[in-house]
Amino acid sequence: MVYAVVGAWLVLAAIVVLTWGRLGTDRGLRGFVLALTLGLSLLHQLLFATVTEDALVSFRYAANIAEGNGPVFNPGERVEGYTNFLWLVLIALPRAAFGADVQTTAIVFGVLSALGCVLLSYFLVNRVVVAATPADAEPRPAIGVAAAVLTAAAGGLAVYGPSGSEVPLFVLLVLAVCYSLAARRPVVAGVLVAFAVMTSPDGLVVGVLGGLWLAGAAVKKQHTWWAPAGYILGALVFLIPRLAWRLTFYQHYVPAPLAAKLGGPFGAQVAGGWPYLSGFALVHQGFLLLALVAAVALLLRRAAGAALESRALIWLMFAMAAGLAAAAVLSGGDAGPSWRLLAGVPPLLAVGSVAAYGVLTADVEVKPSPRPRAWPAGTRLVPVTACGLAGIAVLVSVFSPDMLGRVRDWRTYGTELTEIGGWLGTYLPPGSVVSAAAPGALSARGGQLLIIDVLGRTDDHIARDGQHDGGYATDYDYVVNGRRPTVAVPADGGYADRQHCAIDPVYAGQYEVATFRRVGTPYWVSVYPRAEQAKSLVDDLDRDPDFRYVPCPS
């Protein structure tokens, strides 16, 4: 698959560079190139093709919605252990209506959303550039192709496209908000902002910046004051009922994952967020440098008339990218690979930078000619730069230790934990309670095991009243003595390569260690059955022919 992605980039880059002079006038050729760009995006996504832990948690919620249990992780426990309400509804509907598999639905929707981002990048750039182009000048739709190529090569979007998570939908909604503002449809933009907020808390950043941009445009007489008013009303029509329902059903303003993550000392969160941002910046230097050049060019060359609003929209996209980065730092970053919280930043920078080139060159007079002419030097720079940076992004996806390598490790751990969850769900007594740090993976094949998230993301008490440290909340006294799990699963990284007989001190005394060998492999798994039930539980689990109980040495 690595060779297929690199080969697809080489083919696309060669075609874009060689045909750039005709892309603006040949609609069929432009459509063909966009189709190739979508193909690159699809292959880039398939390179990773890994479902995330957060997505598996969402699948459990969506399945419970479809089966009539309501938006709960464990039936009967009303805990808002998600921050992506709109995504839950979207992936639950096909299951409720047609019995479709939730995971398959989520993967398909995610891939389609990522492909939608590629197409919307093309349309958004052209919309911004057309607004700044004099009426007597030739249109230049080829410029949008450069933005589509860069978006297709963005690693974070590719990682999370087939992950089953809400990330690609959120990025699509952010770009759609920008497009609606470019099209002067503030009410539609407000509705899309509401959808973005219901997909990710970072939608609040996008919504606030969009509202401020419209207010500034109204002050400058580029819009009437009805524009920001319509924008706010469009958002509140959906957000107020959503908030009212949340308070009624869950009795809290803030979801448990946010409460667990943000409950610690502010300084500690920021201290964790800076390395997160610096790692992202190191890997995405191409996008950042492109945006820096575009920003400097916008500052050095002033404009007037129709170009002012287009330039303001470009600054808005850069501000949204900076706002998402700031939110990631303030929240302490994220434990997953490939910078999930910053997946929307490269597409925003790509669209803003390419649009800046189009706007800055919009007033250059180009006389139509019946025959293709030799390229000006400046024109050659666009496809070469876009395809070159896209190539660098693809190579980063392949060779960066925080991209493909870490995603593959993540896939291995998730597969192993899912297998362990299926083993526990099949052989533990019905209604057993299991404590774990990876509730999503264990629940994927765990049936109706009741799973306690020891890090508080799906448990209100731990999230709000536990001890906060490192972006998580814990309260093991509550877990051991309050919830009293039947079995505790101490590992969140799948199987071990050797037998581990030491027990975590938080479980010592009331639990015992039971180690099992995965038959036919060199791998081991340790679980902690409750002491008074240990013998019967070990006998139950030992019935699985794929797991063989091996007592610890005396």
Side-chain angles (χ1 to χ4, degrees):
M1 185 58 72
V2 169
Y3 294 113
V5 175
V6 174
W9 165 71
L10 288 172
V11 171
L12 177 62
I15 292 175
V16 169
V17 172
L18 292 174
T19 64
W20 185 258
R22 293 187 290 127
L23 279 180
T25 55
D26 191 331
R27 188 173 181 179
L29 178 61
R30 195 163 62 250
F32 174 68
V33 170
L34 283 174
L36 289 180
T37 306
L38 291 174
L40 171 63
S41 176
L42 181 60
L43 288 174
H44 199 185
Q45 294 178 66
L46 294 178
L47 175 66
F48 298 99
T50 299
V51 175
T52 68
E53 166 65 20
D54 289 342
L56 292 169
V57 171
S58 297
F59 298 165
R60 171 107 162 187
Y61 273 95
N64 279 325
I65 292 173
E67 292 164 8
N69 296 318
V72 297
F73 188 75
N74 293 319
E77 298 180 10
R78 293 191 176 188
V79 181
E80 190 178 7
Y82 58 88
T83 58
N84 53 356
F85 175 75
L86 180 63
W87 182 248
L88 289 186
V89 173
L90 287 177
I91 63 177
L93 283 175
R95 171 68 171 267
F98 313 112
D101 179 67
V102 171
Q103 179 168 324
T104 303
T105 300
I107 292 173
V108 170
F109 282 1
V111 169
L112 291 177
S113 295
L115 296 176
C117 291
V118 175
L119 282 179
L120 194 51
S121 296
Y122 165 80
F123 288 112
L124 176 55
V125 164
N126 286 338
R127 183 86 193 200
V128 174
V129 173
V130 165
T133 303
D136 58 345
E138 284 187 354
R140 297 176 297 163
I143 293 176
V145 173
V149 170
L150 286 167
T151 302
L157 188 61
V159 168
Y160 287 96
S163 71
S165 75
E166 74 285 352
V167 172
L169 175 63
F170 175 70
V171 177
L172 180 64
L173 289 169
V174 172
L175 294 175
V177 169
C178 294
Y179 187 90
S180 299
L181 293 174
R184 302 180 72 87
R185 297 288 186 271
V187 176
V188 175
V191 171
L192 292 171
V193 159
F195 291 165
V197 172
M198 291 190 290
T199 304
S200 168
D202 288 340
L204 289 170
V205 175
V206 174
V208 170
L209 291 173
L212 292 175
W213 184 86
L214 277 174
V219 169
K220 296 176 182 178
K221 308 298 184 184
Q222 295 172 346
H223 282 275
T224 69
W225 283 101
W226 284 111
Y231 175 86
I232 293 171
L233 290 173
L236 293 181
V237 162
F238 290 90
L239 292 180
I240 288 178
R242 161 70 177 132
L243 180 60
W245 176 81
R246 168 186 279 163
L247 291 174
T248 302
F249 192 83
Y250 293 115
Q251 311 285 310
H252 290 291
Y253 286 101
V254 179
L258 280 184
K261 188 172 187 178
L262 303 179
F266 178 74
Q269 290 174 198
V270 174
W274 278 118
Y276 185 80
L277 180 61
S278 61
F280 169 85
L282 184 64
V283 170
H284 295 84
Q285 293 180 60
F287 287 94
L288 295 172
L289 181 60
L290 184 66
L292 178 61
V293 171
V296 171
L298 287 172
L299 289 172
L300 293 178
R301 183 170 180 180
R302 299 190 177 279
L308 286 175
E309 186 171 346
S310 292
R311 291 163 68 104
L313 191 60
I314 293 169
W315 284 116
L316 173 63
M317 287 186 273
F318 288 159
M320 286 181 177
L324 293 175
V329 171
L330 295 177
S331 65
D334 182 68
S338 307
W339 303 280
R340 175 178 67 92
L341 300 179
L342 299 171
V345 172
L348 283 170
L349 296 180
V351 170
S353 300
V354 175
Y357 168 83
V359 170
L360 290 172
T361 59
D363 57 351
V364 176
E365 292 186 6
V366 180
K367 296 181 180 179
S369 172
R371 292 178 299 178
R373 294 172 296 177
W375 295 340
T379 306
R380 287 181 185 166
L381 187 63
V382 177
V384 170
T385 301
C387 293
L389 289 177
I392 292 173
V394 168
L395 293 177
V396 165
S397 292
V398 173
F399 294 110
S400 170
D402 287 308
M403 299 290 284
L404 183 58
R406 193 172 172 200
V407 169
R408 285 177 170 171
D409 290 341
W410 203 21
R411 180 192 307 162
T412 300
Y413 298 152
T415 301
E416 292 174 355
L417 286 167
T418 298
E419 189 175 76
I420 292 170
W423 168 51
L424 297 176
T426 302
Y427 291 95
L428 285 178
S432 294
V433 179
V434 175
S435 65
L442 289 180
S443 69
R445 287 168 49 190
Q448 286 302 312
L449 285 175
L450 299 180
I451 300 179
I452 306 166
D453 182 1
V454 297
L455 301 180
R457 293 158 299 186
T458 61
D459 188 286
D460 266 336
H461 174 86
I462 299 174
R464 302 177 200 283
D465 301 323
Q467 179 180 353
H468 295 83
D469 182 36
Y472 299 105
T474 56
D475 187 344
Y476 284 102
D477 180 67
Y478 160 80
V479 171
V480 172
N481 299 305
R483 299 302 300 267
R484 298 175 60 84
T486 311
V487 170
V489 180
D492 62 355
Y495 296 125
D497 56 4
R498 58 188 178 86
Q499 187 180 29
H500 289 278
C501 292
I503 191 168
D504 189 320
V506 299
Y507 292 100
Q510 301 194 49
Y511 289 83
E512 298 180 1
V513 180
T515 57
F516 292 80
R517 182 75 176 263
R518 179 68 172 85
V519 175
T521 75
Y523 300 124
W524 296 78
V525 58
S526 298
V527 296
Y528 302 161
R530 199 158 185 92
E532 61 267 25
Q533 302 172 267
K535 186 178 185 309
S536 62
L537 292 172
V538 168
D539 289 343
D540 288 338
L541 294 174
D542 198 35
R543 290 188 293 117
D544 189 332
D546 293 328
F547 291 86
R548 181 60 53 218
Y549 174 61
V550 180
C552 288
S554 302

